[in-house]
Amino acid sequence: MTAAPQDLSSDEILQRILTSLDDDKAEDVVTIDLRGRSAMADHMVIASGRNARQVATIAEKLAQRLKDATGRTARLEGKDTGDWVLIDTDDVV
């Protein structure tokens, strides 16, 4: 049985993202704090994968984990090629 979706703060979403990236062996993970610098989001996370397939898989799993946790669907761009993927969760990009 899964827990009901919940409202999470941007810091809690960031922690879930970092955990997901670590679980899926993302590389070169960098976090940028945007609070007070941008109205776009509170945090930006940049990560790499070993190949296009791994990048696409990391993105798919991350988007699903966030949906399970929050009930919201993240917007994904670029997943089809896997060269790069942008995931926008509103609070964290």
Side-chain angles (χ1 to χ4, degrees), residues 43-83:
H43 304 282
M44 179 180 287
V45 179
I46 302 169
S48 299
R50 290 182 297 279
N51 55 54
R53 185 174 184 177
Q54 184 193 23
V55 170
T57 300
I58 288 170
E60 287 172 5
K61 287 183 177 182
L62 175 57
Q64 186 60 52
R65 288 173 180 145
L66 290 173
K67 184 175 183 178
D68 292 345
T70 65
R72 296 184 296 181
T73 302
R75 292 174 298 282
L76 277 81
E77 297 286 334
K79 186 181 74 69
D80 294 338
T81 61
D83 292 339

Side-chain angles (χ1 to χ4, degrees), residues 2 5 8 19 21 26 30-31 33 35 37 45-46 48 53 60 62-63 69 83 86 90-92:
T2 58
L8 300 174
T19 298
L21 292 173
V30 176
T31 304
D33 188 344
R35 290 176 289 196
R37 296 184 181 131
V45 179
I46 302 169
S48 299
R53 185 174 184 177
E60 287 172 5
L62 175 57
D83 292 339
L86 178 109
D90 292 329
D91 296 328
V92 182

Side-chain angles (χ1 to χ4, degrees), residues 32-44 93:
I32 303 168
D33 188 344
L34 298 175
R35 290 176 289 196
R37 296 184 181 131
S38 173
M40 173 183 81
D42 290 341
H43 304 282
M44 179 180 287
V93 175

